[in-house]
Amino acid sequence: MEILLQVFIASVPAVIGFLAARSLARTRLFLRYGFLRALLAPYSRVQIITPSIEVAEFAFTTDGCQLTSRGPKNVLFMPMAEARAIAGLTDLLRKVNRKATIELVVAGAQDPRMPTFSIGGPSVNSYSGGVLDAVFPDFAIEYPDEARARWGAMTFEALYNPAGELIRDHGFIFVTRTPRQAPCIVLCGVFAFGSAMAVEALTAASRNSPLAALFRSGEKGFVAVEGRVIGLDTVDVTVEVCRTLPAPRSDVPSGFRGEVSTGRPDG
């Protein structure tokens, strides 16, 4: 019994140190992402609107034979980089609020009462396209005619190498409100890598950064980031532009459902 008591006494400082270190790490996390915690604190549920690409059928090879498959309608396809963006965003939201329920929904199934994060541009996400058309008309993605986006006089050009691989992309973060006044954040890019870069910039933001200040302001806002693409990875992601755009908090039309007109160029 005496030996067990000595072991217990010896372990107390280690346990206290572990709990103190964990508490300190948690406090630092709360301070760093306080701008997101304040934004989402009133809500117990958060929705992420996923991008998707319509693929009626696809070919694959098995046992040396070329076959064609038609999948179920609810088995959706999306660019790999944007799937990574969803995973990164989900991880960030869980760090900010471990008790919040995070729901993945498709465009048209969103709930305007919930905080909304929409991943991907108009060519893969009609909700994003509808928000950009209705609330940010000065912004346009000129893909596929050009590999670039524009905001007024600013141009954001994606770059290729001689082999036709993308080596630089631009990501964008749009901050506004749903018709029911819940936070609405669109994260997209010229290409899918830009969507991942937008999430990376949000994750990397410090509490004293312009990006955090934009979220704390409660105003409409626009952020542009850029970074290099190496293979399937993104590196050197930096914030190019971060602007607050004062506007009424009800700047999303009350009847908005996220549809994008068929006449708009893909992006």
Side-chain angles (χ1 to χ4, degrees):
M1 179 64 71
E2 184 177 346
I3 294 176
L4 291 176
L5 181 60
Q6 290 177 353
V7 171
F8 173 75
I9 293 174
S11 65
V12 168
V15 172
I16 294 176
F18 170 77
L19 294 176
R22 186 173 181 179
S23 176
L24 179 60
R26 192 69 184 163
T27 299
R28 287 175 174 172
L29 187 68
F30 286 170
L31 289 174
R32 177 175 180 177
Y33 295 121
F35 65 96
L36 275 179
R37 284 182 57 81
L39 188 75
L40 303 176
Y43 306 92
S44 60
R45 299 160 60 209
V46 178
Q47 62 189 352
I48 299 176
I49 302 179
T50 63
S52 63
I53 299 172
E54 183 175 346
V55 178
E57 60 183 37
F58 60 93
F60 67 98
T61 302
T62 181
D63 296 330
C65 299
Q66 188 80 12
L67 302 176
T68 300
S69 174
R70 292 178 177 269
K73 290 185 177 181
N74 61 335
V75 175
L76 304 178
F77 297 82
M78 70 177 68
M80 183 182 298
E82 285 174 336
R84 190 181 76 193
I86 292 172
L89 177 61
T90 301
D91 183 60
L92 174 61
L93 295 177
R94 292 202 187 284
K95 288 179 180 177
V96 171
N97 187 350
R98 289 180 294 179
K99 296 181 180 180
T101 299
I102 300 173
E103 302 178 9
L104 302 183
V105 301
V106 295
Q110 71 278 355
D111 184 344
R113 297 168 298 179
M114 294 170 57
T116 302
F117 291 82
S118 188
I119 302 292
S123 66
V124 294
N125 189 328
S126 63
Y127 184 89
S128 295
V131 171
L132 298 184
D133 278 341
V135 188
F136 300 91
D138 292 334
F139 178 82
I141 298 178
E142 299 181 345
Y143 163 87
D145 298 326
E146 301 287 348
R148 67 188 177 203
R150 292 185 181 276
W151 176 279
M154 292 182 288
T155 300
F156 307 94
E157 191 94 26
L159 300 178
Y160 296 84
N161 65 15
E165 299 173 325
L166 190 69
I167 58 173
R168 181 168 292 276
D169 201 358
H170 297 265
F172 310 100
I173 303 173
F174 300 88
V175 182
T176 183
R177 294 267 170 173
T178 71
R180 296 292 294 273
Q181 299 305 308
C184 177
I185 318 296
V186 174
L187 303 110
C188 63
V190 178
F191 292 96
F193 286 106
S195 300
M197 291 174 184
V199 173
E200 288 181 40
L202 187 61
T203 302
S206 67
R207 59 176 174 168
N208 296 321
S209 66
L211 185 53
L214 167 60
F215 275 77
R216 285 194 296 265
S217 73
E219 300 286 354
K220 185 169 72 172
F222 168 71
V223 180
V225 305
E226 69 170 341
R228 294 191 299 128
V229 181
I230 301 177
L232 298 177
D233 201 8
T234 55
V235 297
D236 300 334
V237 176
T238 58
V239 175
E240 299 176 274
V241 180
C242 185
R243 293 190 177 181
T244 300
L245 308 170
R249 295 173 71 88
S250 57
D251 53 354
V252 177
S254 59
F256 172 69
R257 293 294 299 167
E259 289 79 10
V260 60
S261 65
T262 57
R264 178 189 174 93
D266 289 342

CSV table of all heavy atoms in Angstrom, one decimal, residues 37-69:
chain,number,residue,atom,x,y,z
A,37,ARG,N,-15.1,32.0,-33.1
A,37,ARG,CA,-16.0,31.6,-31.9
A,37,ARG,C,-17.1,32.6,-31.7
A,37,ARG,O,-18.3,32.3,-31.5
A,37,ARG,CB,-15.1,31.5,-30.7
A,37,ARG,CG,-14.3,30.2,-30.6
A,37,ARG,CD,-13.5,30.1,-29.3
A,37,ARG,NE,-14.4,30.2,-28.2
A,37,ARG,CZ,-15.1,29.1,-27.7
A,37,ARG,NH1,-15.0,27.9,-28.3
A,37,ARG,NH2,-15.9,29.2,-26.6
A,38,ALA,N,-16.8,33.9,-31.8
A,38,ALA,CA,-17.8,35.0,-31.6
A,38,ALA,C,-18.8,34.9,-32.7
A,38,ALA,O,-20.0,35.1,-32.4
A,38,ALA,CB,-17.1,36.3,-31.5
A,39,LEU,N,-18.4,34.6,-33.9
A,39,LEU,CA,-19.3,34.6,-35.0
A,39,LEU,C,-20.3,33.4,-34.9
A,39,LEU,O,-21.5,33.5,-35.2
A,39,LEU,CB,-18.5,34.4,-36.3
A,39,LEU,CG,-19.2,34.5,-37.7
A,39,LEU,CD1,-19.6,36.0,-37.9
A,39,LEU,CD2,-18.4,34.0,-38.8
A,40,LEU,N,-19.8,32.3,-34.4
A,40,LEU,CA,-20.6,31.1,-34.4
A,40,LEU,C,-21.2,30.7,-33.1
A,40,LEU,O,-22.0,29.8,-32.9
A,40,LEU,CB,-19.7,29.9,-34.9
A,40,LEU,CG,-19.1,30.0,-36.3
A,40,LEU,CD1,-18.2,28.9,-36.6
A,40,LEU,CD2,-20.1,30.2,-37.4
A,41,ALA,N,-20.8,31.5,-32.0
A,41,ALA,CA,-21.2,31.1,-30.6
A,41,ALA,C,-22.7,31.0,-30.5
A,41,ALA,O,-23.2,30.1,-29.7
A,41,ALA,CB,-20.7,32.2,-29.7
A,42,PRO,N,-23.6,31.8,-31.1
A,42,PRO,CA,-25.0,31.6,-30.9
A,42,PRO,C,-25.6,30.4,-31.5
A,42,PRO,O,-26.8,30.1,-31.3
A,42,PRO,CB,-25.6,32.9,-31.5
A,42,PRO,CG,-24.5,33.8,-31.7
A,42,PRO,CD,-23.3,33.0,-31.9
A,43,TYR,N,-24.9,29.6,-32.2
A,43,TYR,CA,-25.4,28.5,-33.0
A,43,TYR,C,-24.9,27.2,-32.6
A,43,TYR,O,-23.7,27.1,-32.2
A,43,TYR,CB,-25.1,28.7,-34.5
A,43,TYR,CG,-25.6,30.0,-35.0
A,43,TYR,CD1,-24.7,31.1,-35.1
A,43,TYR,CD2,-26.9,30.2,-35.5
A,43,TYR,CE1,-25.1,32.4,-35.6
A,43,TYR,CE2,-27.3,31.5,-36.0
A,43,TYR,CZ,-26.4,32.5,-36.0
A,43,TYR,OH,-26.8,33.7,-36.5
A,44,SER,N,-25.7,26.2,-32.6
A,44,SER,CA,-25.3,24.8,-32.2
A,44,SER,C,-25.1,23.9,-33.5
A,44,SER,O,-24.5,22.8,-33.3
A,44,SER,CB,-26.3,24.1,-31.3
A,44,SER,OG,-27.6,24.0,-32.0
A,45,ARG,N,-25.4,24.5,-34.6
A,45,ARG,CA,-25.3,23.7,-35.9
A,45,ARG,C,-24.7,24.6,-36.9
A,45,ARG,O,-25.0,25.8,-37.0
A,45,ARG,CB,-26.6,23.2,-36.4
A,45,ARG,CG,-27.3,22.2,-35.4
A,45,ARG,CD,-28.8,22.1,-35.7
A,45,ARG,NE,-29.0,21.6,-37.1
A,45,ARG,CZ,-30.1,22.0,-37.8
A,45,ARG,NH1,-31.0,22.8,-37.3
A,45,ARG,NH2,-30.3,21.5,-39.0
A,46,VAL,N,-23.8,24.1,-37.7
A,46,VAL,CA,-23.1,24.8,-38.8
A,46,VAL,C,-23.3,23.9,-40.1
A,46,VAL,O,-23.1,22.7,-40.0
A,46,VAL,CB,-21.7,25.0,-38.5
A,46,VAL,CG1,-21.0,25.8,-39.7
A,46,VAL,CG2,-21.5,25.8,-37.2
A,47,GLN,N,-23.5,24.6,-41.2
A,47,GLN,CA,-23.6,23.8,-42.5
A,47,GLN,C,-22.5,24.2,-43.4
A,47,GLN,O,-22.1,25.3,-43.5
A,47,GLN,CB,-25.0,23.9,-43.1
A,47,GLN,CG,-25.3,25.4,-43.5
A,47,GLN,CD,-26.8,25.5,-44.0
A,47,GLN,OE1,-27.5,24.6,-44.1
A,47,GLN,NE2,-27.2,26.8,-44.2
A,48,ILE,N,-22.0,23.2,-44.1
A,48,ILE,CA,-21.0,23.3,-45.2
A,48,ILE,C,-21.7,22.9,-46.5
A,48,ILE,O,-22.1,21.7,-46.6
A,48,ILE,CB,-19.7,22.5,-44.9
A,48,ILE,CG1,-19.1,23.0,-43.6
A,48,ILE,CG2,-18.8,22.7,-46.1
A,48,ILE,CD1,-17.8,22.2,-43.3
A,49,ILE,N,-21.8,23.8,-47.4
A,49,ILE,CA,-22.4,23.5,-48.7
A,49,ILE,C,-21.3,23.0,-49.6
A,49,ILE,O,-20.3,23.7,-49.9
A,49,ILE,CB,-23.1,24.7,-49.3
A,49,ILE,CG1,-24.2,25.2,-48.4
A,49,ILE,CG2,-23.8,24.3,-50.7
A,49,ILE,CD1,-25.0,26.4,-48.9
A,50,THR,N,-21.5,21.7,-50.1
A,50,THR,CA,-20.4,21.1,-50.8
A,50,THR,C,-20.5,21.3,-52.3
A,50,THR,O,-21.6,21.5,-52.8
A,50,THR,CB,-20.4,19.5,-50.6
A,50,THR,OG1,-21.7,19.0,-51.1
A,50,THR,CG2,-20.4,19.2,-49.1
A,51,PRO,N,-19.4,21.4,-53.0
A,51,PRO,CA,-19.4,21.4,-54.5
A,51,PRO,C,-19.6,20.1,-55.0
A,51,PRO,O,-19.5,19.0,-54.4
A,51,PRO,CB,-18.0,21.9,-54.8
A,51,PRO,CG,-17.1,21.3,-53.7
A,51,PRO,CD,-18.0,21.3,-52.5
A,52,SER,N,-20.0,20.0,-56.3
A,52,SER,CA,-20.2,18.7,-57.0
A,52,SER,C,-20.1,18.9,-58.5
A,52,SER,O,-20.4,20.0,-59.0
A,52,SER,CB,-21.5,18.1,-56.6
A,52,SER,OG,-22.6,18.8,-57.0
A,53,ILE,N,-19.7,17.9,-59.1
A,53,ILE,CA,-19.6,17.9,-60.6
A,53,ILE,C,-20.5,16.8,-61.1
A,53,ILE,O,-20.4,15.6,-60.6
A,53,ILE,CB,-18.1,17.6,-61.1
A,53,ILE,CG1,-17.2,18.8,-60.6
A,53,ILE,CG2,-18.1,17.6,-62.6
A,53,ILE,CD1,-15.8,18.5,-60.9
A,54,GLU,N,-21.3,17.1,-62.0
A,54,GLU,CA,-22.2,16.1,-62.6
A,54,GLU,C,-21.5,15.1,-63.4
A,54,GLU,O,-20.9,15.5,-64.5
A,54,GLU,CB,-23.4,16.7,-63.4
A,54,GLU,CG,-24.4,15.7,-63.9
A,54,GLU,CD,-25.6,16.3,-64.6
A,54,GLU,OE1,-25.7,17.6,-64.4
A,54,GLU,OE2,-26.3,15.6,-65.3
A,55,VAL,N,-21.4,13.8,-63.0
A,55,VAL,CA,-20.8,12.8,-63.8
A,55,VAL,C,-21.8,11.7,-64.0
A,55,VAL,O,-22.1,10.9,-63.1
A,55,VAL,CB,-19.5,12.2,-63.1
A,55,VAL,CG1,-18.9,11.1,-63.9
A,55,VAL,CG2,-18.5,13.3,-62.8
A,56,ALA,N,-22.4,11.6,-65.2
A,56,ALA,CA,-23.4,10.6,-65.4
A,56,ALA,C,-22.9,9.2,-65.4
A,56,ALA,O,-23.5,8.3,-64.9
A,56,ALA,CB,-24.1,10.9,-66.8
A,57,GLU,N,-21.7,9.0,-66.0
A,57,GLU,CA,-21.0,7.7,-66.0
A,57,GLU,C,-19.5,7.9,-66.1
A,57,GLU,O,-19.0,9.0,-66.5
A,57,GLU,CB,-21.5,6.9,-67.1
A,57,GLU,CG,-21.3,7.5,-68.5
A,57,GLU,CD,-21.9,6.6,-69.6
A,57,GLU,OE1,-23.0,6.0,-69.4
A,57,GLU,OE2,-21.3,6.5,-70.7
A,58,PHE,N,-18.8,6.9,-65.7
A,58,PHE,CA,-17.3,7.0,-65.8
A,58,PHE,C,-16.8,5.6,-66.2
A,58,PHE,O,-17.4,4.5,-65.9
A,58,PHE,CB,-16.7,7.5,-64.6
A,58,PHE,CG,-16.9,6.6,-63.3
A,58,PHE,CD1,-16.1,5.6,-63.0
A,58,PHE,CD2,-18.1,6.9,-62.6
A,58,PHE,CE1,-16.3,4.9,-61.9
A,58,PHE,CE2,-18.3,6.1,-61.4
A,58,PHE,CZ,-17.4,5.1,-61.1
A,59,ALA,N,-15.6,5.6,-66.8
A,59,ALA,CA,-15.0,4.3,-67.3
A,59,ALA,C,-13.9,3.9,-66.3
A,59,ALA,O,-13.3,4.7,-65.7
A,59,ALA,CB,-14.4,4.5,-68.7
A,60,PHE,N,-13.8,2.6,-66.1
A,60,PHE,CA,-12.7,2.0,-65.2
A,60,PHE,C,-12.4,0.7,-65.8
A,60,PHE,O,-13.1,0.1,-66.6
A,60,PHE,CB,-13.2,1.9,-63.8
A,60,PHE,CG,-14.3,0.9,-63.5
A,60,PHE,CD1,-14.0,-0.3,-63.1
A,60,PHE,CD2,-15.6,1.3,-63.8
A,60,PHE,CE1,-15.0,-1.2,-62.8
A,60,PHE,CE2,-16.6,0.4,-63.6
A,60,PHE,CZ,-16.4,-0.9,-63.1
A,61,THR,N,-11.2,0.2,-65.4
A,61,THR,CA,-10.7,-1.1,-65.9
A,61,THR,C,-10.6,-2.1,-64.7
A,61,THR,O,-10.2,-1.8,-63.6
A,61,THR,CB,-9.3,-0.9,-66.4
A,61,THR,OG1,-9.4,0.1,-67.5
A,61,THR,CG2,-8.8,-2.2,-67.0
A,62,THR,N,-11.1,-3.3,-65.0
A,62,THR,CA,-11.0,-4.4,-64.0
A,62,THR,C,-10.8,-5.7,-64.8
A,62,THR,O,-11.4,-6.0,-65.8
A,62,THR,CB,-12.3,-4.5,-63.1
A,62,THR,OG1,-12.1,-5.6,-62.2
A,62,THR,CG2,-13.5,-4.8,-64.0
A,63,ASP,N,-9.8,-6.5,-64.3
A,63,ASP,CA,-9.4,-7.8,-65.0
A,63,ASP,C,-9.1,-7.6,-66.5
A,63,ASP,O,-9.5,-8.4,-67.3
A,63,ASP,CB,-10.5,-8.8,-64.8
A,63,ASP,CG,-10.8,-9.2,-63.3
A,63,ASP,OD1,-9.8,-9.1,-62.6
A,63,ASP,OD2,-11.9,-9.5,-63.0
A,64,GLY,N,-8.5,-6.4,-66.8
A,64,GLY,CA,-8.2,-6.2,-68.2
A,64,GLY,C,-9.3,-5.7,-69.0
A,64,GLY,O,-9.1,-5.5,-70.3
A,65,CYS,N,-10.5,-5.6,-68.5
A,65,CYS,CA,-11.7,-5.2,-69.3
A,65,CYS,C,-12.1,-3.7,-69.0
A,65,CYS,O,-12.0,-3.3,-67.8
A,65,CYS,CB,-12.9,-6.1,-69.0
A,65,CYS,SG,-12.6,-7.8,-69.4
A,66,GLN,N,-12.4,-3.0,-70.0
A,66,GLN,CA,-12.9,-1.6,-69.8
A,66,GLN,C,-14.4,-1.6,-69.6
A,66,GLN,O,-15.2,-2.1,-70.4
A,66,GLN,CB,-12.6,-0.8,-71.1
A,66,GLN,CG,-12.8,0.7,-71.0
A,66,GLN,CD,-11.7,1.4,-70.3
A,66,GLN,OE1,-10.6,0.8,-70.1
A,66,GLN,NE2,-11.9,2.7,-69.9
A,67,LEU,N,-14.8,-1.0,-68.5
A,67,LEU,CA,-16.2,-1.1,-68.1
A,67,LEU,C,-16.7,0.4,-67.9
A,67,LEU,O,-15.9,1.3,-67.6
A,67,LEU,CB,-16.4,-1.9,-66.8
A,67,LEU,CG,-16.0,-3.3,-66.9
A,67,LEU,CD1,-16.1,-4.0,-65.5
A,67,LEU,CD2,-16.7,-4.1,-67.9
A,68,THR,N,-18.0,0.5,-67.9
A,68,THR,CA,-18.6,1.8,-67.6
A,68,THR,C,-19.6,1.7,-66.5
A,68,THR,O,-20.3,0.7,-66.4
A,68,THR,CB,-19.4,2.3,-68.9
A,68,THR,OG1,-18.5,2.5,-70.0
A,68,THR,CG2,-20.1,3.7,-68.6
A,69,SER,N,-19.5,2.7,-65.6
A,69,SER,CA,-20.3,2.6,-64.4
A,69,SER,C,-21.3,3.8,-64.3
A,69,SER,O,-20.9,4.9,-64.6
A,69,SER,CB,-19.5,2.5,-63.1
A,69,SER,OG,-20.2,2.6,-61.9
